[in-house]
Amino acid sequence: MRDAAPQLAHGFVLTLQIAFFGVIGALAVGVIGAAMRVSTSRAARVAATAFTEFFRNTPPLVQIYFLAFAIPKIPGIGPHLILPSIVAATLGLVLHQGAINIEILRAGLGAVPAGQREAAQALGLSRIDELRSVLVPQAVRISLPALGNNVISLFKNTTLVASIGVLDIFGEANDIIATILVSAELFLTVGVVYVICVALLGALFRALERKFALAR
Amino acid sequence: MMSYLHALPSLAHGLGTTFLVSISAMILAVGIGFVLGIVRSQVPRAIDLPILAVIEFFRGIPLLVLMYFIFFGLPQLGFKTGQNAAAIAALCLYAGALGSEIVRGAIVSISGGQTEAASALGLSRVQILALVVIPQALRRMLPPFVGLFALIVESSSLSSLINVTDLLQTAHQNVERDNDIALPVYLTVLVAYFAVNYPISLVSQRLEKRLA
Amino acid sequence: MPMLAMSGVRKAFGTNVVLKDINLAVDPGEVCCIIGPSGSGKSTVLRCINRLVTIDAGDVVIDGLSVIDPAVKDVDLRRRVGMVFQQFNLFPHMTALENVTLAPRKVRGLSADAANALGVTLLEKVGLREKAQSYPAQLSGGQQQRVAIARALAMEPKVMLFDEATSALDPEITGEVLAVMKALASEHTTMICVTHEMGFAREVGTHVVFMDGGLIVEEGPPHAIFDAPQAERTQAFLSKVL
């Protein structure tokens, strides 16, 4: 077990990297998608809604498999789209978790009271200023608990990357087991590391919620 | 293309296993959710804390790690499980932890004034819970429980990684046999999951709006 | 030339006709008080003036600009019209001062310093200079509404609209808001107030309009409406509320 520590630590760093890029990517997808869903262009709204519904209603593991194994088989362009495993895995997480972020932020915008929009318009603010200064800051605050849960869910889902051969902490654990077989202890250790990380993330988001609380 | 058509019956069979695993896990998760949720809503904080710790553990540990622990780890400690049982066990522990929050939340949201009114009528604590609070709380639990089922179906795809021959594993096996059908097979799998989960999440949203 | 002229204004929401045929003129410096039962369309009249609601027929001309003229931009109208809402609608994530300076900075293009100086002056005017750094949730209802008045004044509008500005307040604190409105009236600010405060309408109003069922039933100077109402519906309404 002690011998396994350096290998697990190496995997853990990769886990953190995947989680970091996954969270940033999913947030970007969420912001862009939510903006499209409240835009005046019908085409943008339809496209963003279809994206949201498809990717949040299909399992992230299947999305990862699709990116890693099916995309390269597309006739013609496929062979140019062979992604390194780690990119395919991270992209799969970004699509799924990003779709959920779109829905969260859209719901947050919808939860801002109608009077806020009316007041912003009565002051003569442009549509952009209305969104940027009045609606979005409130929507983000309203959405913070759900966004936090989604970050935690993404963090836990980083384990899926091991399934296509990326050696994150969980992949390293599997690798060790394949060679020396100490699985009960090892999986428990990995599990506890995740539980601690999730608890820390939870505490971080609760602190953020308190800091940005919107008293009405 | 023939090879893709030949894969379809086995994919249908895999979908059946996905349903079997998901529905079994859902039934157990509802049971766990109700027991823990009701207990947590009624006991003092000192007794609630250890229960909460266990729930937080199962919410915090990634489902895949839990599944591997049960399937690969437990046999070393003397508990042998088949792959289907291990998948169902992991899913129901995870979903049960979430379900207990749903039940507790719904009960607590009803309790306040209703408990006071029922107590004033002289009902016992069990009567209040069984006759007044839980019947009303059920309405609030329904939409999140439907949503939980969608999450279970989605998460059941992980069971393919411990060799449960669910939809995803069947797809994988077919592609191993003939690599050229990877695109249509995985596309079919994506669409199949969507076709199952999209209606479920629509129902959950509708119920939420209607019961709000 | 009147500051505001509404002619033949009609507005329906779906099949519900809220305004049937509104004709109204308000001169500069007038305090026009619109009274009437709830659901009579009073609030909709105000929203037609700054285009928060687009009218189906007729015209509204404010300071020479027509709301049905496509060349007139929303911002042109809204810079001329300040609005105060029943529910205050302060922005909860901004301090009182930030609420007041938002439009001067974003719409009028003032520098941060100039906007802050203006904001402090306006908060002073509504008696809340010491609350500049407070968030709305830290203020009482009356204080929030006074900040909302300062926010509307920061546009340096030609006309101020008040949509039941005191209805959401406890009776004992309506006075502080009415006092600010009275002070504005004494400076000859053109004001259009939808109100349930009959005392305010009688004392401060220069022009009282009674609306019912999407129509103006009767209008005139306060003493004429309150002391000698002509229409039966006006008499019935006033006997209930006075």
Side-chain angles (χ1 to χ4, degrees), chain A residues 115-116 118-125 129 132-134 137-138 141 214-216, chain C residues 47 50 52 75 78 81 85 89-94 102-103 106-107 137 151 155:
Chain A
Q116 292 289 313
E118 211 174 33
Q121 289 176 352
L123 288 176
L125 294 186
D129 280 331
R132 192 171 51 194
S133 301
V134 177
Q138 295 186 60
R141 284 166 168 85
L214 258 196
R216 287 189 194 279
Chain C
R47 281 167 172 72
N50 62 354
L52 284 181
V75 64
R78 288 163 186 170
V81 181
F85 299 88
N89 295 348
L90 286 182
F91 304 131
H93 58 299
M94 298 181 187
L102 180 68
K106 299 285 182 183
V107 183
R151 179 174 73 175
M155 299 299 294

Side-chain angles (χ1 to χ4, degrees), chain A residues 140-159:
Chain A
V140 168
R141 284 166 168 85
I142 292 168
S143 307
L144 210 49
L147 289 173
N149 284 340
N150 200 28
V151 166
I152 287 172
S153 157
L154 185 141
F155 184 73
K156 288 160 62 185
N157 277 343
T158 56
T159 47

